[in-house]
Structure formats: structure tokens, C-alpha cells
Amino acid sequence: TGMALGFDLLVAETAVENDIPFAAAIPCIGQTKRWPKKEKEKYIKLMKNAWKYTVVTPGPYAVWKLFKRNEWIVNRSTTLICYWNSNKSGGTYATVEYAKKQGKPWENIFNECSNMTNIS
């Protein structure tokens, strides 16, 4: 998981609750710098439960590092699961497009989860 707000943290939470090991791909140090306190606390708790973690790019936060993190995940995955509303902009769109170019299979669970309210 990329450990971003929303779906990524939900995936990590679900993994912890079900004793499923997960790897955390951190785009850079300071990813949570602008996050609300409650979300930072959740992130720290989840990171303590990660099977392993990797900081993908050195140095402080920059938006482009989020995209590099996503490419890093695609390059190391056999299949990807995303929660994507089919908007043709943003990080999830760019990641799906990159996965397609890399020939990686991907599954969008947006419709299956449309009745869930905890995902942002």
C-alpha cells in the first residue's frame, strides 16, 4: 500500500485486522506533514504493523514523489487493486495508465465498494 489518505490506509487497516502482512511504500519522509492529527496517529499505528516499508525517494515532500511511489508499487506488483471513480486525472488515473503500459493486470473495486461510507 502507498499509505496515502483514504483507500490506502483502509487497505492497511484491513490487513492489520485480518493478520495479513503488508508492505508500505512511502513516497518520502514527511508524507503526513499536512495531515490531520487523527490521520497521522492512524498512520503511525499502521506503520508499526507493516511487514516492511520502503521510502521510495529521499528528501522532503514533493507532489511528484507520490507518482514515483505509485510507479514503484506497479513495478513490484503482479496484480493491482484500485479504488478508482474513473476520473481521468489524478494519482489513481496515472497509476492505472502506467500499469496498463507495463502490462500489469489491475482490478477496480470502486463499484463493489460504492455502498461503503468509510472510503474517501
Side-chain angles (χ1 to χ4, degrees), residues 12-83:
E13 279 182 302
T14 302
V16 169
E17 290 169 3
N18 291 282
D19 293 322
I20 300 169
F22 71 95
I26 311 304
C28 57
I29 301 301
Q31 173 181 358
T32 64
K33 187 175 183 176
R34 298 180 184 159
W35 290 12
K37 182 180 178 182
K38 181 179 174 184
E39 298 301 320
K40 284 182 186 181
E41 290 170 353
K42 181 189 301 185
Y43 175 91
I44 292 167
K45 180 180 174 185
L46 291 169
M47 286 298 293
K48 289 178 182 178
N49 287 282
W51 167 61
K52 70 176 187 174
Y53 74 91
T54 301
V55 177
V56 176
T57 53
Y61 177 86
V63 173
W64 66 267
K65 293 179 180 185
L66 305 175
F67 291 91
K68 281 293 180 192
R69 181 253 342 258
N70 294 348
E71 291 176 2
W72 187 93
I73 292 170
V74 169
N75 292 339
R76 286 155 182 80
S77 299
T78 55
T79 302
L80 295 113
I81 299 171
C82 65
Y83 180 78

Side-chain angles (χ1 to χ4, degrees), residues 97-117:
E97 289 300 304
Y98 183 76
K100 288 178 186 177
K101 288 177 186 172
Q102 301 305 311
K104 300 285 180 127
W106 58 280
E107 179 75 27
N108 183 9
I109 63 169
F110 183 83
N111 289 333
E112 290 86 348
C113 298
S114 62
N115 62 344
M116 298 176 73
T117 58

